[in-house]
Amino acid sequence: QMNALDDASNAQVTILQTVPSEDAISKTRTEYLLKRDQTIWKIVNKKQSYQCKQGQETTDFQVNPCP
């Protein structure tokens, strides 16, 4: 979790899933952007990207489905 020093009402959380699977995905990265509304944190954005087992871009994460 990362909080900006000048704005403690925003946070970003990144979850990296490395569970082995039978499909073409090696890892899944999910990023959440949170905003505090008084005492409750709310998700304002969610991005998901994938690292593929095969193909040209196996070291980078991409938003497109794996081949």
Side-chain angles (χ1 to χ4, degrees):
Q1 179 175 341
M2 300 179 344
N3 287 331
L5 294 176
D6 57 345
D7 188 1
S9 65
N10 292 308
Q12 179 178 345
V13 176
T14 303
I15 299 172
L16 183 61
Q17 294 174 299
T18 58
V19 177
S21 66
E22 297 296 321
D23 57 11
I25 299 171
S26 173
K27 296 176 186 168
T28 302
R29 181 174 60 195
T30 307
E31 297 173 289
Y32 295 95
L33 182 59
L34 308 171
K35 185 162 186 70
R36 188 188 336 230
D37 183 8
Q38 296 178 4
T39 60
I40 298 172
W41 287 95
K42 295 183 178 182
I43 298 172
V44 293
N45 193 14
K46 175 187 169 185
K47 289 192 313 185
Q48 204 160 35
S49 56
Y50 310 96
Q51 188 177 49
C52 302
K53 290 181 181 177
Q54 303 178 50
Q56 297 176 354
E57 304 295 328
T58 57
T59 58
D60 297 325
F61 284 85
Q62 61 187 34
V63 294
N64 297 327
C66 294

